[in-house]
PDB file of all heavy atoms in Angstrom:
ATOM      1  N   PRO A 348       8.769  15.514 -14.174  1.00 41.00           N
ATOM      2  CA  PRO A 348       8.177  16.827 -14.008  1.00 41.00           C
ATOM      3  C   PRO A 348       9.166  17.815 -13.419  1.00 41.00           C
ATOM      4  O   PRO A 348      10.024  17.444 -12.630  1.00 41.00           O
ATOM      5  CB  PRO A 348       7.017  16.580 -13.048  1.00 41.00           C
ATOM      6  CG  PRO A 348       7.358  15.332 -12.334  1.00 41.00           C
ATOM      7  CD  PRO A 348       8.194  14.528 -13.284  1.00 41.00           C
ATOM      8  N   ASP A 349       9.051  19.077 -13.841  1.00 42.00           N
ATOM      9  CA  ASP A 349       9.952  20.080 -13.298  1.00 42.00           C
ATOM     10  C   ASP A 349       9.438  20.557 -11.953  1.00 42.00           C
ATOM     11  O   ASP A 349       8.330  20.264 -11.551  1.00 42.00           O
ATOM     12  CB  ASP A 349      10.115  21.243 -14.276  1.00 42.00           C
ATOM     13  CG  ASP A 349       8.800  21.967 -14.558  1.00 42.00           C
ATOM     14  OD1 ASP A 349       7.751  21.598 -13.978  1.00 42.00           O
ATOM     15  OD2 ASP A 349       8.829  22.889 -15.352  1.00 42.00           O
ATOM     16  N   ASP A 350      10.255  21.303 -11.225  1.00 41.00           N
ATOM     17  CA  ASP A 350       9.884  21.756  -9.893  1.00 41.00           C
ATOM     18  C   ASP A 350       8.868  22.874  -9.902  1.00 41.00           C
ATOM     19  O   ASP A 350       8.352  23.241  -8.878  1.00 41.00           O
ATOM     20  CB  ASP A 350      11.127  22.236  -9.126  1.00 41.00           C
ATOM     21  CG  ASP A 350      11.912  21.078  -8.568  1.00 41.00           C
ATOM     22  OD1 ASP A 350      11.360  19.971  -8.515  1.00 41.00           O
ATOM     23  OD2 ASP A 350      13.075  21.282  -8.190  1.00 41.00           O
ATOM     24  N   THR A 351       8.610  23.465 -11.069  1.00 41.00           N
ATOM     25  CA  THR A 351       7.685  24.584 -11.071  1.00 41.00           C
ATOM     26  C   THR A 351       6.294  24.159 -11.443  1.00 41.00           C
ATOM     27  O   THR A 351       5.384  24.946 -11.328  1.00 41.00           O
ATOM     28  CB  THR A 351       8.154  25.671 -12.052  1.00 41.00           C
ATOM     29  OG1 THR A 351       8.264  25.099 -13.342  1.00 41.00           O
ATOM     30  CG2 THR A 351       9.467  26.260 -11.594  1.00 41.00           C
ATOM     31  N   GLY A 352       6.051  22.938 -11.905  1.00 40.00           N
ATOM     32  CA  GLY A 352       4.733  22.365 -12.172  1.00 40.00           C
ATOM     33  C   GLY A 352       3.606  23.371 -12.208  1.00 40.00           C
ATOM     34  O   GLY A 352       3.797  24.555 -12.259  1.00 40.00           O
ATOM     35  N   GLY A 353       2.388  22.914 -12.162  1.00 40.00           N
ATOM     36  CA  GLY A 353       1.233  23.793 -12.112  1.00 40.00           C
ATOM     37  C   GLY A 353       0.909  24.133 -10.673  1.00 40.00           C
ATOM     38  O   GLY A 353       1.667  23.829  -9.764  1.00 40.00           O
ATOM     39  N   PRO A 354      -0.237  24.753 -10.416  1.00 40.00           N
ATOM     40  CA  PRO A 354      -0.588  25.125  -9.059  1.00 40.00           C
ATOM     41  C   PRO A 354      -0.730  23.940  -8.123  1.00 40.00           C
ATOM     42  O   PRO A 354      -0.529  24.082  -6.935  1.00 40.00           O
ATOM     43  CB  PRO A 354      -1.919  25.869  -9.203  1.00 40.00           C
ATOM     44  CG  PRO A 354      -2.405  25.587 -10.584  1.00 40.00           C
ATOM     45  CD  PRO A 354      -1.236  25.168 -11.392  1.00 40.00           C
ATOM     46  N   ASP A 355      -1.042  22.774  -8.647  1.00 42.00           N
ATOM     47  CA  ASP A 355      -1.153  21.592  -7.805  1.00 42.00           C
ATOM     48  C   ASP A 355      -0.036  20.599  -8.067  1.00 42.00           C
ATOM     49  O   ASP A 355      -0.056  19.495  -7.565  1.00 42.00           O
ATOM     50  CB  ASP A 355      -2.496  20.895  -8.034  1.00 42.00           C
ATOM     51  CG  ASP A 355      -3.653  21.759  -7.586  1.00 42.00           C
ATOM     52  OD1 ASP A 355      -3.445  22.533  -6.638  1.00 42.00           O
ATOM     53  OD2 ASP A 355      -4.729  21.669  -8.182  1.00 42.00           O
ATOM     54  N   GLY A 356       0.930  20.963  -8.863  1.00 40.00           N
ATOM     55  CA  GLY A 356       2.046  20.078  -9.186  1.00 40.00           C
ATOM     56  C   GLY A 356       3.065  20.056  -8.071  1.00 40.00           C
ATOM     57  O   GLY A 356       2.857  20.607  -6.997  1.00 40.00           O
ATOM     58  N   PRO A 357       4.253  19.460  -8.344  1.00 39.00           N
ATOM     59  CA  PRO A 357       5.261  19.303  -7.313  1.00 39.00           C
ATOM     60  C   PRO A 357       5.704  20.621  -6.699  1.00 39.00           C
ATOM     61  O   PRO A 357       6.002  20.694  -5.532  1.00 39.00           O
ATOM     62  CB  PRO A 357       6.423  18.622  -8.041  1.00 39.00           C
ATOM     63  CG  PRO A 357       5.802  17.979  -9.221  1.00 39.00           C
ATOM     64  CD  PRO A 357       4.610  18.797  -9.573  1.00 39.00           C
ATOM     65  N   GLY A 358       5.729  21.694  -7.489  1.00 40.00           N
ATOM     66  CA  GLY A 358       6.148  22.974  -6.945  1.00 40.00           C
ATOM     67  C   GLY A 358       4.983  23.851  -6.577  1.00 40.00           C
ATOM     68  O   GLY A 358       5.149  24.985  -6.164  1.00 40.00           O
ATOM     69  N   GLY A 359       3.773  23.374  -6.731  1.00 39.00           N
ATOM     70  CA  GLY A 359       2.581  24.162  -6.437  1.00 39.00           C
ATOM     71  C   GLY A 359       2.348  24.278  -4.946  1.00 39.00           C
ATOM     72  O   GLY A 359       3.034  23.664  -4.136  1.00 39.00           O
ATOM     73  N   ARG A 376       9.642  30.033  -0.053  1.00 39.00           N
ATOM     74  CA  ARG A 376       9.258  30.378  -1.412  1.00 39.00           C
ATOM     75  C   ARG A 376       8.091  31.337  -1.428  1.00 39.00           C
ATOM     76  O   ARG A 376       7.726  31.818  -2.474  1.00 39.00           O
ATOM     77  CB  ARG A 376       8.880  29.123  -2.190  1.00 39.00           C
ATOM     78  CG  ARG A 376      10.059  28.262  -2.474  1.00 39.00           C
ATOM     79  CD  ARG A 376       9.639  27.131  -3.352  1.00 39.00           C
ATOM     80  NE  ARG A 376      10.774  26.290  -3.628  1.00 39.00           N
ATOM     81  CZ  ARG A 376      10.720  25.192  -4.327  1.00 39.00           C
ATOM     82  NH1 ARG A 376       9.575  24.788  -4.813  1.00 39.00           N
ATOM     83  NH2 ARG A 376      11.775  24.477  -4.544  1.00 39.00           N
ATOM     84  N   ARG A 381       3.183  33.554  -6.490  1.00 38.00           N
ATOM     85  CA  ARG A 381       2.450  32.494  -7.166  1.00 38.00           C
ATOM     86  C   ARG A 381       0.957  32.561  -6.940  1.00 38.00           C
ATOM     87  O   ARG A 381       0.207  31.945  -7.665  1.00 38.00           O
ATOM     88  CB  ARG A 381       2.950  31.146  -6.678  1.00 38.00           C
ATOM     89  CG  ARG A 381       4.389  30.935  -6.968  1.00 38.00           C
ATOM     90  CD  ARG A 381       4.825  29.695  -6.259  1.00 38.00           C
ATOM     91  NE  ARG A 381       4.260  28.541  -6.915  1.00 38.00           N
ATOM     92  CZ  ARG A 381       4.952  27.609  -7.502  1.00 38.00           C
ATOM     93  NH1 ARG A 381       6.247  27.696  -7.520  1.00 38.00           N
ATOM     94  NH2 ARG A 381       4.374  26.580  -8.044  1.00 38.00           N
ATOM     95  N   THR A 388       1.654  26.292 -18.162  1.00 48.00           N
ATOM     96  CA  THR A 388       3.033  26.379 -18.637  1.00 48.00           C
ATOM     97  C   THR A 388       3.102  25.754 -20.014  1.00 48.00           C
ATOM     98  O   THR A 388       2.156  25.163 -20.502  1.00 48.00           O
ATOM     99  CB  THR A 388       3.979  25.609 -17.678  1.00 48.00           C
ATOM    100  OG1 THR A 388       3.628  24.232 -17.732  1.00 48.00           O
ATOM    101  CG2 THR A 388       3.870  26.140 -16.262  1.00 48.00           C
ATOM    102  N   ARG A 390       4.479  23.131 -20.863  1.00 46.00           N
ATOM    103  CA  ARG A 390       4.431  21.674 -20.804  1.00 46.00           C
ATOM    104  C   ARG A 390       3.000  21.158 -20.682  1.00 46.00           C
ATOM    105  O   ARG A 390       2.745  19.993 -20.920  1.00 46.00           O
ATOM    106  CB  ARG A 390       5.218  21.167 -19.613  1.00 46.00           C
ATOM    107  CG  ARG A 390       6.674  21.586 -19.680  1.00 46.00           C
ATOM    108  CD  ARG A 390       7.396  20.976 -18.564  1.00 46.00           C
ATOM    109  NE  ARG A 390       7.721  19.622 -19.024  1.00 46.00           N
ATOM    110  CZ  ARG A 390       8.386  18.756 -18.326  1.00 46.00           C
ATOM    111  NH1 ARG A 390       8.783  19.051 -17.138  1.00 46.00           N
ATOM    112  NH2 ARG A 390       8.651  17.571 -18.808  1.00 46.00           N
ATOM    113  N   GLN A 391       2.066  21.994 -20.248  1.00 43.00           N
ATOM    114  CA  GLN A 391       0.699  21.535 -20.048  1.00 43.00           C
ATOM    115  C   GLN A 391      -0.045  21.482 -21.370  1.00 43.00           C
ATOM    116  O   GLN A 391       0.104  22.353 -22.213  1.00 43.00           O
ATOM    117  CB  GLN A 391      -0.036  22.458 -19.081  1.00 43.00           C
ATOM    118  CG  GLN A 391       0.553  22.389 -17.686  1.00 43.00           C
ATOM    119  CD  GLN A 391      -0.102  23.401 -16.769  1.00 43.00           C
ATOM    120  OE1 GLN A 391      -0.645  24.377 -17.224  1.00 43.00           O
ATOM    121  NE2 GLN A 391      -0.011  23.142 -15.478  1.00 43.00           N
TER     122      GLN A 391
END
Side-chain angles (χ1 to χ4, degrees):
D349 62 1
D350 281 344
T351 58
D355 295 329
R376 290 186 180 177
R381 299 171 72 116
T388 65
R390 300 185 83 179
Q391 294 175 337

